[in-house]
Amino acid sequence: MNWDWDYAWDIVPDLWDGMLVALEATAYGYVLALVLGLALALLRRSRRRWVSLPVAAVSEFIRSTPLLVQLFFMYYMLPTIGITWGALTVGALTLGIHYATYTSEVYRSGIDNVPVGQWEAATALNLPTRRVWTSVILPQAVPRVIPALANYVIAMFKDTPQLIAISVVEVFAVAREENSQTFQTLEPFTMAGIFYLVIALAMSAVARLVERRFGKVRST
């Protein structure tokens, strides 16, 4: 098999369009995973077992089932209850929910590692619960887990090819379409792999910068 440079460069614009779709799904999904993951972590810590146990069970169920199955379920289930969203929206939503169950465990780990003395000091000062979390606990817990949270954005990005199952046209879908039209396999899939590699390395570099900038625990 001979490498065709002309063809490889010709498909770069189409691959880049697919990459933008993958990045969009990752961005929306990751924001959802961060917010929902924190909510799940706090609910898991509830002293009311009727709250914490169902949340734990649902989280475990989502973590224990494949993302691909969840994508199919969401894509075909939502219209049956009157929700007709586009494939990209459903894909980003599913990615966010799936990874929220992982980020919630990361948040829980960070919260559990906050020194007991900080909790005792907040109690001694009779701080309102909301202020305890926003001013004492979370500012110390979140910086501890930034590296783990950053790893999940890269993992989510690398899972975006699975969105092809619900007709989202991201990089892998573009490469497969090019292959089906030209019967040239080497160039489209190699270029797609290079796109994923470059973006993942860039994300890793940004993650290290964020870790150095925000990864230090603020003293209280």
Side-chain angles (χ1 to χ4, degrees):
M1 299 179 65
N2 295 321
W3 179 269
D4 187 342
W5 280 108
D6 290 334
Y7 175 60
W9 288 117
D10 285 343
I11 64 175
V12 164
D14 290 335
L15 290 172
W16 178 245
D17 288 341
M19 178 56 67
L20 292 177
V21 173
L23 291 173
E24 185 178 359
T26 302
Y28 289 131
Y30 189 60
V31 170
L32 177 60
L34 291 180
V35 176
L36 182 58
L38 179 58
L40 292 175
L42 297 179
L43 290 173
R44 287 286 301 273
R45 295 183 60 86
S46 174
R47 295 180 180 179
R48 299 179 177 86
R49 295 177 66 84
W50 59 269
V51 173
S52 60
L53 289 181
V55 171
V58 171
S59 297
E60 188 63 33
F61 175 79
I62 293 175
R63 282 199 303 272
S64 300
T65 54
L67 174 61
L68 187 60
V69 174
Q70 295 169 17
L71 285 168
F72 273 109
F73 177 78
M74 293 289 285
Y75 188 65
Y76 292 105
M77 180 274 294
L78 290 178
T80 65
I81 59 174
I83 301 176
T84 55
W85 287 338
L88 179 59
T89 303
V90 174
L93 176 66
T94 307
L95 284 171
I97 294 173
H98 182 83
Y99 276 92
T101 61
Y102 292 95
T103 59
S104 69
E105 293 301 310
V106 174
Y107 283 125
R108 286 181 63 205
S109 174
I111 293 169
D112 290 342
N113 284 326
V114 173
V116 176
Q118 298 294 317
W119 294 92
E120 294 174 344
T123 302
L125 292 172
N126 198 29
L127 295 177
T129 301
R130 180 177 179 180
R131 189 174 177 190
V132 171
W133 283 103
T134 59
S135 300
V136 180
I137 303 305
L138 292 180
Q140 296 183 69
V142 173
R144 301 172 191 271
V145 299
I146 283 178
L149 292 176
N151 287 337
Y152 280 121
V153 69
I154 299 173
M156 181 183 293
F157 169 69
K158 292 190 294 185
D159 269 343
T160 55
Q162 297 192 52
L163 300 184
I164 193 176
I166 57 172
S167 305
V168 175
V169 184
E170 49 72 61
V171 186
F172 180 72
V174 173
R176 196 176 75 163
E177 181 65 22
E178 291 289 342
N179 172 239
S180 66
Q181 291 179 359
T182 64
F183 301 102
Q184 292 180 261
T185 303
L186 183 61
E187 293 87 350
F189 289 111
T190 301
M191 294 299 289
I194 292 173
F195 268 70
Y196 282 115
L197 175 62
V198 171
I199 298 299
L201 290 176
M203 286 182 172
S204 180
V206 172
R208 286 194 293 270
L209 291 175
V210 172
E211 180 182 352
R212 285 198 293 267
R213 176 64 178 83
F214 301 103
K216 295 180 180 179
V217 178
R218 187 184 70 183
S219 59
T220 58

